[in-house]
Amino acid sequence: MQTRLAITADKDQIPVLLDEFSAMLHVTETPSEIGGAILDEILSRPDTPVFVAEEGGQLLGIVLFYLLPNVRHGFHRGHIEDFFVSASARRKGVVTALFRAVTEYCRSHGITVLKLDSGNDLTGAHAFYEKRRRTLD
């Protein structure tokens, strides 16, 4: 398994992962039906890197990451909006590898603050984030 930044060739598989995520959350929107133009935009922008875990040409997980300017504090912060690993790839180190890729990216780009969002029902995600709570210095 490897982690890397997503490329345009991943465009067919990314919505499949996000559809699985939406179904898990019981969300009515289907990313593969409504998110195509936004995905194209995100993949083309330097301030919205998309991290993927991949094995044998199959995407296993994804992190949608945003760099956000913070005027009050005078720096950019990282923001993880969506972090998902397919049910078939869980408990195999994929989450840890993706999180490591994001934190390494932050360090190499001078990002010292990372904001993590998670739904109230995602207690496993909360435990993962809490265990890794720290600064990126």
Side-chain angles (χ1 to χ4, degrees):
M1 185 233 342
Q2 70 169 344
T3 58
R4 59 177 173 76
L5 293 175
I7 56 175
T8 51
D10 298 322
K11 277 179 46 173
D12 292 337
Q13 291 189 61
I14 289 172
V16 173
L17 279 173
L18 296 175
D19 285 352
E20 184 182 345
F21 190 27
S22 290
M24 183 188 86
L25 297 173
H26 307 290
V27 176
T28 57
E29 296 89 11
T30 306
S32 62
E33 294 175 5
I34 62 171
I38 296 293
L39 179 58
D40 288 339
E41 178 185 344
I42 286 172
L43 289 174
S44 71
R45 291 175 55 163
D47 60 342
T48 55
V50 176
F51 297 84
V52 294
E54 179 247 337
E55 186 171 69
Q58 183 69 34
L59 295 188
L60 308 173
I62 188 167
V63 177
L64 297 178
F65 181 82
Y66 303 92
L67 292 172
L68 301 171
N70 189 311
V71 174
R72 269 188 319 116
H73 299 293
F75 58 77
H76 286 81
R77 67 174 164 85
H79 179 93
I80 293 176
E81 177 66 24
D82 290 311
F83 192 153
F84 179 73
V85 172
S86 179
S88 64
R90 294 190 189 138
R91 300 276 192 223
K92 297 179 181 179
V94 177
V95 170
T96 300
L98 279 168
F99 192 73
R100 184 178 305 121
V102 170
T103 57
E104 288 173 1
Y105 177 91
C106 288
R107 282 188 198 98
S108 71
H109 288 81
I111 305 300
T112 58
V113 175
L114 179 59
K115 181 178 179 191
L116 313 164
D117 275 348
S118 181
N120 291 335
D121 296 334
L122 300 175
T123 56
H126 302 164
F128 178 85
Y129 290 151
E130 189 63 34
K131 186 176 179 182
R132 285 149 185 86
R133 183 181 218 159
R134 62 190 155 114
T135 63
L136 296 173
D137 298 330

